[in-house]
Amino acid sequence: MATIEFKKTLNECLKDKDFKAEFERLTPEFQIKSALISKRMAKKLTQSQVASLSGLKQSNIARLESPSGGFSLETAVRYAKAVGLKKLVISL
């Protein structure tokens, strides 16, 4: 089985202007998702527990955490409060 080097492959893909534009458009969303998921995991909370703490449905939590799932700012804020995330920095 061949090994694919992620960074090398990403750098190749980023040479394509359309790919690069979409990657840059989605970067803030992925940063938010990553911060939320990392905090949830650090607190050892399940998606169901975050749902209970936030008043959201577990399916909303799963959708937010999904690579292709969208979310509203309100959902992200409720999730962040539930896991105790006090600060989020997004790099553009």
Side-chain angles (χ1 to χ4, degrees), residues 4-75:
I4 299 172
E5 293 182 44
F6 176 76
K7 287 187 178 186
K8 182 179 178 182
T9 302
L10 178 60
N11 287 335
E12 282 297 313
C13 291
L14 288 171
K15 291 177 183 176
D16 177 272
K17 71 175 186 153
D18 293 332
F19 179 91
K20 184 176 181 177
E22 185 67 3
F23 183 85
E24 289 173 351
R25 185 185 73 78
L26 291 172
T27 294
E29 181 178 323
F30 288 135
Q31 288 175 349
I32 292 168
K33 289 181 180 201
S34 178
L36 294 172
I37 294 166
S38 293
K39 187 67 171 183
R40 176 179 69 79
M41 294 177 76
K43 291 246 180 158
K44 298 183 177 165
L45 295 170
T46 65
Q47 289 182 347
S48 293
Q49 289 169 319
V50 173
S52 291
L53 292 167
S54 66
L56 297 165
K57 294 180 181 177
Q58 189 274 332
S59 60
N60 292 97
I61 303 300
R63 188 176 314 110
L64 183 148
E65 291 188 4
S66 167
S68 60
F71 59 92
S72 69
L73 182 57
E74 179 187 357
T75 299

Side-chain angles (χ1 to χ4, degrees), residues 74-92:
E74 179 187 357
T75 299
V77 169
R78 289 172 67 178
Y79 184 125
K81 287 179 180 178
V83 298
L85 184 64
K86 304 272 187 228
K87 184 177 181 179
L88 176 63
V89 177
I90 301 170
S91 302
L92 300 175

